[in-house]
Amino acid sequence: MAEKLKSRKTIQQLFKEGKTFSDPPLRILYLDSKEDLDYLKAAFSVSTKNFKRATDRNRIKRLMRESYRLQKPSLQAMLKKLNKRLSIFIIYTANTLPEYEYIYAKMGEILSRLEKLISQ
């Protein structure tokens, strides 16, 4: 749980100064962070406007967290090698309930694209 992005200050900084890209239905904001001890911190969000019921939002966040958890080791290894620290915020933007396989594939695409951007 040390990899959870919880700091309000860091999240505000991420939205203000962070870089972003989209691969629908996911949008990612990322920022190099200096003060964190962990190499990678992440947070997930689903719009209340698109999903009124908390159970739907929680399910989507659960799917995103699980697919992220399974695919993050390569990103972590690269960050350790480059000695960089990163804060990321992943937002689900679509308005339909997704299947796990779809989220897993999109999360893989977004994380590999992030790896390419960071390694430059």
Side-chain angles (χ1 to χ4, degrees):
M1 286 302 162
E3 294 174 355
K4 270 189 178 179
L5 178 59
K6 293 186 271 187
S7 163
R8 182 171 289 195
K9 181 180 164 189
T10 307
I11 292 172
Q12 285 177 343
Q13 185 181 15
L14 187 61
F15 275 90
K16 200 159 87 174
E17 303 167 16
K19 297 175 185 141
T20 183
F21 66 88
S22 263
D23 187 1
L26 300 176
R27 188 169 134 223
I28 186 167
L29 290 96
Y30 64 98
L31 181 67
D32 290 337
S33 62
K34 281 85 180 167
E35 71 278 345
D36 285 332
L37 299 172
D38 288 310
Y39 286 99
L40 188 60
K41 286 198 174 243
F44 302 88
S45 177
V46 179
S47 170
T48 309
K49 189 171 93 176
N50 292 340
F51 295 96
K52 303 289 185 225
R53 292 178 10 198
T55 53
D56 293 338
R57 293 192 303 274
N58 292 339
R59 175 170 171 68
I60 295 168
K61 284 189 277 189
R62 219 172 24 250
L63 294 175
M64 288 196 305
R65 280 194 300 262
E66 179 62 11
S67 59
Y68 167 78
R69 182 188 70 83
L70 293 172
Q71 298 182 59
K72 72 180 177 188
S74 62
L75 180 61
Q76 280 179 322
M78 189 200 69
L79 288 170
K80 282 181 184 171
K81 194 174 82 176
L82 297 172
N83 198 25
K84 286 188 175 182
R85 278 143 177 67
L86 197 66
S87 297
I88 63 175
F89 199 97
I90 301 172
I91 304 167
Y92 183 78
T93 57
N95 54 11
T96 56
L97 277 171
E99 294 293 321
Y100 174 72
E101 291 77 20
Y102 181 67
I103 288 290
Y104 186 86
K106 287 296 183 177
M107 188 66 69
E109 290 172 21
I110 225 169
L111 291 179
S112 62
R113 188 168 164 191
L114 182 62
E115 276 184 50
K116 288 176 191 158
L117 289 169
I118 299 290
S119 63
Q120 292 175 350

